[in-house]
Amino acid sequence: MLEFLPLGLVVLILVVISLNIVSHRVNQLVSRIALSLFGTFVSERRSINVRQVASLAGAHDPDTYRVYAAKTFLYATLAALAGSVFGVYIFIAVRQAMVAAGIPDLMPWLLGVLRNEPSEMGILGLFVLLLLSSATIGAIGAYGAYQIRWYLPRYAAGERSRRVDSTLKRNIAFLFALSRSGMPFSQVLRTLGKHTAVYGETAREFSVTMKDIDLLGADLVSSIERTSQRTPSDQLEEFTKNLASVLRSGGSLTDFLQEQYAYFLDEESAQQQRFIELLGALAEAYVTVFVAGMLFLITILVVVGLLLGGTLTFLHILVYLILGLANVGFIIYLDTVTEDRADPEQEVSYEAESALVPELSVSENPTDRQTSGTEAKNRYRLAIARRLGPIRRALRDPARLLTDRPSTILAVTVPFGLLWLVAAWWPTLVTGVVDPAALDDALIQVTLFVTGTYAVTYEIGHRRVKQIEAAIPDFLERLAATNEAGMSMVESFGRVARSDLGALSTEMRRTWADMQWGAHMETALRRFEHRIRTPAITRVTTLTTNAMGATNDIGPVLRIAADEAKSARRLERDRRNELLTYVVVVYVAFFVFLGIVLALDQVFIPSIPTGVDVGGGAAPGTGLGIGGSLGELTDAKKDAYGLVFFHAGIIQGYVSGFVAGMMSDGRLSSGAKHATAMLAIAYVFFLIFG
């Protein structure tokens, strides 16, 4: 056992180090050890590693540069130690396997290294052993650990930079609108920083700016300048530098924000055009590589297999492994490209009910509070009611729950689908002979059921959101016009609520009724936001309620919000119209793929004689040449080819649907309807013609 002691010690050290991810105490211990060993060294290199310091700041990493760099060198040292130890054991294991296989007999130049035991190698032999195994693998491990550690903050900073750029125009519109209302700019930034769930990564950057002011006592201009130095986004860096210059010089902040908003509006249009051109190139690449290329490989493997034999295994690898994984990889790449272009349909932090119910933990004992017994019990009941509120709403309106969160339906359909599979497969499985062809129908039907039900619920909720968002610009313009005409906000809202606002009409009347029953306008708007639950409505109510707290003349603020909503709506409509072409391209490519696969399955393979020597210059019984190979084509092999063609059409149809969804809307969920349609088309075609 002593010979495995070094290996056990290294494994133990690696396990302890890996615990720092989940344990705060272990993380502190590792940090102290790293600082004690490398703290002085990394502090001296801080001025040299400017890029690494910027990456950590841009990624908002909780560790300082000194701590992160010291831990990086500690991990690299441990990786070198582990690689060195593992290298020796790997070399010995490989040596024993090669000796057992007789490889040294085939390669005499390896006799001196492999035939002798390590104890018999001598100084030169041991040096070669350690050089080839321990030193090499240790160096690779240390270099890899060091590079990966510094790659992670660069990647995180790059992701944050893209998210900042995608939300910058929206945030500048918010700053412009609230500064137009007369609110102090420091309060405008503080308000924006409180709504990071609504306004995204740019708002998170400004929340850190306000922490510099509130916690560190910095002035506004200095904190904004530090934001320009810290942010990973070049666009936000330029904006904050110009903003600090305007604030320092005393120029017109409103005019500056208006100019910046117009500039980024034009920039967003240009970026969208470049994005559409990129998707066009990706669509052409998809058709060329993942459709035409796969068809070419399948056809070549079939023809070569019929002539020479032995390609059915490669055909299985191509269809069952490469075809699916290649499409999944392409979908992942599309997700990274399009994630910043899609407005996230996510749950945001709603404050309507929390503003009405005081904070109180359910586990808190009412008698522990310095209040009367009745008041404490009532507050405790309200806290429990707030916790149970989502459950009550889900039970009262399950259809709304499914359309708001379509993934909820998977909790029902997936277990039901698994039971369906077990019931359908059980008669075949109990026989002990598994025929893949007998299992296909049930699996495809369950996939259609699960994906189709999710697609229906998602599309209902998605279309509801789009109809509501389409009515927002009209609502804001009418509200701004009535307010600018001299009406108060309450009177303006009542006048607009009684007009026709399309999908918003019902909710507007409910909100107006809420105000007539005595609710404050801010509270009624928060309740309206809580009922609608869309990002666009959340942004509108956040801007409106904060502007109302600063001024009664919020008409100009609403005009800015209406312009921002209209520009976002116009860009989305243009993008959808342009990308519809690429969705059609994906469908056409799928039909071409399906048609050729069906032709191979129903025309080409059946036309070849079965078990007949059709000649070809080979000696009888040798199995060589064209005649011998074709003579080996049996009915079982024809069925095997037909099964592969069927699976190729099914797999290609399903994954192409998600590619079409990513192309059209930038969301994987939008591809569920396309995947269901293409899978159903492929299945029906094979049922009819197969």
Side-chain angles (χ1 to χ4, degrees):
M1 297 298 293
L2 291 178
E3 60 185 7
F4 293 102
L5 181 60
L7 181 63
L9 291 177
V10 169
V11 172
L12 179 62
I13 293 174
L14 294 180
V15 170
V16 172
I17 291 297
S18 63
L19 290 177
N20 77 91
I21 301 176
V22 295
S23 174
H24 179 66
R25 291 185 178 181
V26 175
N27 185 38
Q28 286 184 327
L29 177 62
V30 172
S31 299
R32 291 172 183 173
I33 295 174
L35 288 174
S36 64
L37 295 175
F38 304 101
T40 304
F41 174 71
V42 298
S43 297
E44 296 173 352
R45 294 177 56 85
R46 179 184 177 90
S47 59
I48 302 175
N49 298 326
V50 178
R51 181 182 177 185
Q52 296 172 345
V53 174
S55 297
L56 288 174
H60 283 188
D61 196 275
D63 289 336
T64 63
Y65 167 78
R66 184 167 177 264
V67 173
Y68 192 91
K71 290 169 69 174
T72 299
F73 280 104
L74 176 63
Y75 293 157
T77 303
L78 294 176
L81 175 62
S84 300
V85 174
F86 288 149
V88 174
Y89 287 95
I90 292 172
F91 182 86
I92 294 175
V94 171
R95 172 193 168 277
Q96 292 177 349
M98 294 177 71
V99 170
I103 294 179
D105 296 331
L106 302 177
M107 301 179 182
W109 57 273
L110 289 176
L111 287 176
V113 179
L114 297 179
R115 278 291 181 87
N116 298 328
E117 295 290 338
S119 59
E120 302 173 355
M121 288 182 180
I123 299 297
L124 182 60
L126 289 176
F127 176 77
V128 174
L129 168 64
L130 294 176
L131 181 63
L132 294 178
S133 60
S134 181
T136 303
I137 297 180
I140 294 174
Y143 180 78
Y146 182 85
Q147 292 297 329
I148 290 174
R149 279 281 296 178
W150 285 118
Y151 171 76
L152 292 176
R154 289 200 304 270
Y155 175 78
E159 291 296 306
R160 291 195 66 252
S161 175
R162 293 212 310 269
R163 291 195 292 268
V164 168
D165 293 342
S166 65
T167 59
L168 185 56
K169 179 184 74 70
R170 182 184 306 160
N171 284 261
I172 292 177
F174 182 89
L175 296 176
F176 175 39
L178 285 190
S179 64
R180 185 79 177 268
S181 69
M183 182 183 294
F185 192 67
S186 59
Q187 185 61 32
V188 172
L189 291 181
R190 181 172 286 105
T191 302
L192 178 61
K194 291 179 180 178
H195 297 89
T196 56
V198 181
Y199 285 93
E201 207 66 39
T202 306
R204 189 167 287 106
E205 289 283 1
F206 284 115
S207 69
V208 178
T209 304
M210 297 313 300
K211 288 180 181 178
D212 285 346
I213 298 175
D214 297 335
L215 301 180
L216 303 180
D219 61 277
L220 179 61
V221 177
S222 299
S223 61
I224 292 177
E225 289 176 343
R226 278 200 289 269
T227 300
S228 66
Q229 300 169 0
R230 181 180 57 247
T231 180
S233 169
D234 294 336
Q235 292 185 1
L236 183 59
E237 178 184 358
E238 181 181 359
F239 170 75
T240 49
K241 284 182 178 179
N242 296 334
L243 176 61
S245 299
V246 172
L247 292 174
R248 191 179 294 278
S249 63
S252 175
L253 182 61
T254 302
D255 293 342
F256 167 73
L257 293 175
Q258 185 176 10
E259 293 174 358
Q260 290 293 301
Y261 173 69
Y263 167 76
F264 281 105
L265 183 61
D266 295 337
E267 182 66 20
E268 187 178 35
S269 300
Q271 288 179 355
Q272 175 166 285
Q273 187 61 37
R274 292 193 295 269
F275 169 72
I276 292 174
E277 293 175 358
L278 173 62
L279 279 187
L282 291 177
E284 294 176 1
Y286 176 78
V287 173
T288 303
V289 177
F290 297 94
V291 179
M294 291 297 176
L295 278 175
F296 177 76
L297 290 176
I298 290 174
T299 305
I300 291 297
L301 287 175
V302 170
V303 173
V304 172
L306 294 175
L307 294 177
L308 303 177
T311 61
L312 190 57
T313 301
F314 294 102
L315 192 60
H316 287 164
I317 295 174
L318 177 65
V319 171
Y320 298 126
L321 186 63
I322 298 178
L323 180 61
L325 292 180
N327 279 274
V328 170
F330 187 76
I331 291 172
I332 294 174
Y333 176 72
L334 280 178
D335 183 58
T336 61
V337 171
T338 61
E339 63 178 351
D340 300 328
R341 303 292 171 177
D343 196 9
E345 297 178 2
Q346 60 184 2
E347 295 297 324
V348 294
S349 177
Y350 298 106
E351 303 173 357
E353 292 186 348
S354 60
L356 304 176
V357 182
E359 292 287 342
L360 182 62
S361 173
V362 175
S363 60
E364 184 176 347
N365 190 339
T367 59
D368 294 338
R369 298 181 61 88
Q370 300 297 322
T371 55
S372 64
T374 303
E375 181 182 354
K377 291 179 180 179
N378 289 338
R379 293 171 66 87
Y380 185 70
R381 291 167 183 166
L382 286 173
I384 295 178
R386 184 181 59 187
R387 298 284 182 88
L388 298 178
I391 300 176
R392 293 201 315 270
R393 288 192 297 271
L395 295 176
R396 186 169 58 248
D397 192 1
R400 177 66 183 276
L401 172 66
L402 294 178
T403 54
D404 284 347
R405 298 179 179 178
S407 58
T408 307
I409 199 173
L410 297 177
V412 178
T413 57
V414 171
F416 182 78
L418 293 177
L419 292 176
W420 186 353
L421 280 180
V422 171
W425 286 357
W426 186 255
T428 303
L429 296 177
V430 294
T431 61
V433 179
V434 179
D435 183 10
L439 307 178
D440 287 337
D441 288 339
L443 181 59
I444 294 173
Q445 292 165 7
V446 168
T447 304
L448 286 172
F449 170 71
V450 173
T451 310
T453 51
Y454 175 82
V456 170
T457 54
Y458 173 81
E459 287 301 316
I460 292 175
H462 183 66
R463 292 184 180 182
R464 168 182 167 269
V465 169
K466 293 305 177 185
Q467 290 173 356
I468 291 174
E469 291 181 350
I472 290 177
D474 191 21
F475 162 70
L476 292 174
E477 287 185 342
R478 294 184 189 182
L479 193 62
T482 53
N483 182 257
E484 291 171 346
M487 292 185 180
S488 65
M489 273 300 296
V490 176
E491 293 173 337
S492 300
F493 191 88
R495 176 68 63 87
V496 174
R498 290 191 293 269
S499 62
D500 183 15
L501 291 172
L504 271 178
S505 297
T506 302
E507 290 297 337
M508 285 290 100
R509 293 189 180 96
R510 290 181 63 181
T511 305
W512 174 239
D514 196 5
M515 295 167 61
Q516 288 180 312
W517 278 88
H520 197 269
M521 187 171 182
E522 285 85 348
T523 303
L525 287 176
R526 290 195 183 100
R527 291 172 178 168
F528 160 70
E529 170 197 342
H530 186 75
R531 290 194 302 268
I532 299 296
R533 301 183 184 183
T534 68
I537 289 294
T538 302
R539 291 194 293 267
V540 169
T541 54
T542 300
L543 177 62
T544 304
T545 53
N546 283 281
M548 289 172 58
T551 180
N552 290 326
D553 184 20
I554 68 169
V557 177
L558 296 175
R559 290 286 184 188
I560 296 170
D563 291 340
E564 198 275 332
K566 284 194 297 185
S567 67
R569 181 75 178 170
R570 183 178 63 256
L571 288 173
E572 182 184 0
R573 183 177 61 251
D574 295 341
R575 175 178 178 269
R576 184 174 61 250
N577 293 337
E578 290 285 344
L579 296 182
L580 180 62
T581 304
Y582 306 131
V583 177
V584 174
V585 168
V586 174
Y587 268 90
V588 171
F590 162 68
F591 281 115
V592 171
F593 185 95
L594 187 61
I596 294 179
V597 168
L598 280 171
L600 290 173
D601 182 37
Q602 299 300 314
V603 178
F604 183 66
I605 296 295
S607 65
I608 300 175
T610 301
V612 177
D613 187 356
V614 294
T622 61
L624 301 175
I626 296 177
S629 177
L630 291 179
E632 294 176 356
L633 183 63
T634 63
D635 289 331
K637 285 189 176 181
K638 284 189 174 183
D639 293 339
Y641 277 113
L643 184 62
V644 172
F645 295 148
F646 171 64
H647 289 162
I650 293 297
I651 294 172
Q652 181 68 26
Y654 194 67
V655 295
S656 293
F658 289 105
V659 171
M662 294 298 299
M663 285 282 187
S664 64
D665 208 19
R667 300 184 184 92
L668 190 64
S669 300
S670 297
K673 61 178 181 293
H674 299 294
T676 303
M678 292 187 181
L679 180 60
I681 291 171
Y683 185 49
V684 171
F685 268 62
F686 273 100
L687 285 180
I688 296 175
F689 301 104

